[in-house]
Amino acid sequence: MSNIVLLGPPGAGKGTQAERLAEELGRLHLSTGDLFREEITRDSPLGRQVRGYLDRGELVPDRLVVAMVRERLTGDLDQEFIFDGFPRTLEQAVRLDKMAEIDAVIHIAVSETEVVRRLSARRVCQGCGRTYNVLLAPPQEEGCCDVCGGKLYRRSDDAPEVIVHRYAVYQEESRPVIEFYRERGLLAEVDGDRPVDTVFQAIKAAVNRVEMI
Ligand code: AMP
């Protein structure tokens, strides 16, 4: 089984790239952020437990994240995954290593200025979850989803002061994760400050390069 991990700060475009890569390579896209937001929307016990962390831009405790991922993986044992937003800490990386075989880890690097610029312009559809960027890819009608007509909202953790905090949390927590994979020869770095299509091509090339080693 070959699984791929996409690492990168919030706003690196991991979600968009993971979705495209999953489609192209025929794998499942597993975003822990999306799974948490679904739990919050359903107001499930897990959703109620994690809501505060997401609102503050803090990491959900490892045991909750790992338990959720494990449950997801055991439901699809013969599938290959693109992990998006997981692992975010060294502990999560060590636990993932025991649950699944990782073939390639792509780190999409983006500067803080670019992250703030992108995320403060991000809007999400309340109905179908589709994301827009009011600067780069706005909807046809302001505040309204092109696909389902749902109302667009700004994620509570996309407020500028929370974005800066999330970026700092990412830098601190993810450095050991990046080193963990670098030491194993699984890591490839991609410059994420470029347009979406350019970054996607670079990611595909990097996956091929690492998988061939
Ligand atoms: P994302 O959509 O990946 O930006 O994640 C949104 C939020 O979900 C993060 O700011 C965290 O609060 C939480 N989260 C998502 N994935 C993880 C993870 N692997 N570990 C801890 N918290 C996470």
Side-chain angles (χ1 to χ4, degrees):
M1 285 293 128
S2 78
N3 299 288
I4 296 170
V5 171
L6 289 193
L7 300 175
K14 292 189 301 293
T16 310
Q17 301 292 357
E19 217 160 275
R20 282 180 71 170
L21 202 59
E23 194 170 316
E24 178 137 340
L25 303 179
R27 307 193 186 182
L28 291 184
H29 173 203
L30 193 157
S31 154
T32 42
D34 283 351
L35 292 178
F36 284 135
R37 279 184 290 278
E38 278 164 26
E39 297 288 338
I40 291 171
T41 306
R42 285 199 285 121
D43 202 26
S44 69
L46 176 61
R48 287 195 289 273
Q49 257 179 307
V50 302
R51 181 192 296 268
Y53 295 101
L54 271 84
D55 281 346
R56 291 188 300 271
E58 284 168 13
L59 292 186
V60 171
D62 288 336
R63 68 183 167 79
L64 294 178
V65 189
V66 171
M68 181 177 73
V69 172
R70 172 170 295 123
E71 196 182 311
R72 187 72 186 76
L73 292 186
T74 44
D76 278 300
L77 273 181
D78 49 359
Q79 289 285 350
E80 297 177 310
F81 287 87
I82 310 282
F83 292 102
D84 157 14
F86 178 86
R88 279 235 211 341
T89 64
L90 187 57
E91 170 70 15
Q92 291 176 18
V94 170
R95 302 290 291 272
L96 175 61
D97 224 35
K98 301 196 171 103
M99 295 192 267
E101 197 176 311
I102 305 300
D103 274 351
V105 179
I106 312 298
H107 178 221
I108 311 174
V110 185
S111 63
E112 186 191 65
T113 319
E114 181 63 14
V115 163
V116 173
R117 195 177 76 88
R118 286 184 191 175
L119 290 190
S120 37
R122 178 161 73 177
R123 300 291 181 273
V124 185
C125 172
Q126 231 162 27
C128 67
R130 185 179 159 161
T131 57
Y132 294 86
N133 184 298
V134 291
L135 298 176
L136 307 172
Q140 276 163 13
E141 194 185 322
E142 197 186 320
C144 198
C145 178
D146 292 346
V147 180
C148 74
K151 210 171 147 218
L152 303 188
Y153 71 101
R154 174 145 93 176
R155 275 169 47 174
S156 53
D157 57 352
D158 280 345
E161 63 284 4
V162 185
I163 297 172
V164 170
H165 180 59
R166 284 164 67 205
Y167 190 84
V169 168
Y170 171 78
Q171 292 292 0
E172 192 178 317
E173 296 286 353
S174 295
R175 199 163 301 133
V177 177
I178 290 169
E179 288 316 312
F180 176 83
Y181 289 122
R182 197 194 308 278
E183 278 166 20
R184 287 155 187 247
L186 294 175
L187 188 81
E189 304 263 5
V190 166
D191 171 6
D193 271 358
R194 299 171 297 169
V196 180
D197 286 338
T198 315
V199 175
F200 184 60
Q201 297 308 328
I203 290 175
K204 279 201 303 184
V207 168
N208 286 334
R209 219 169 43 238
V210 178
E211 282 191 337
M212 269 166 24
I213 293 173

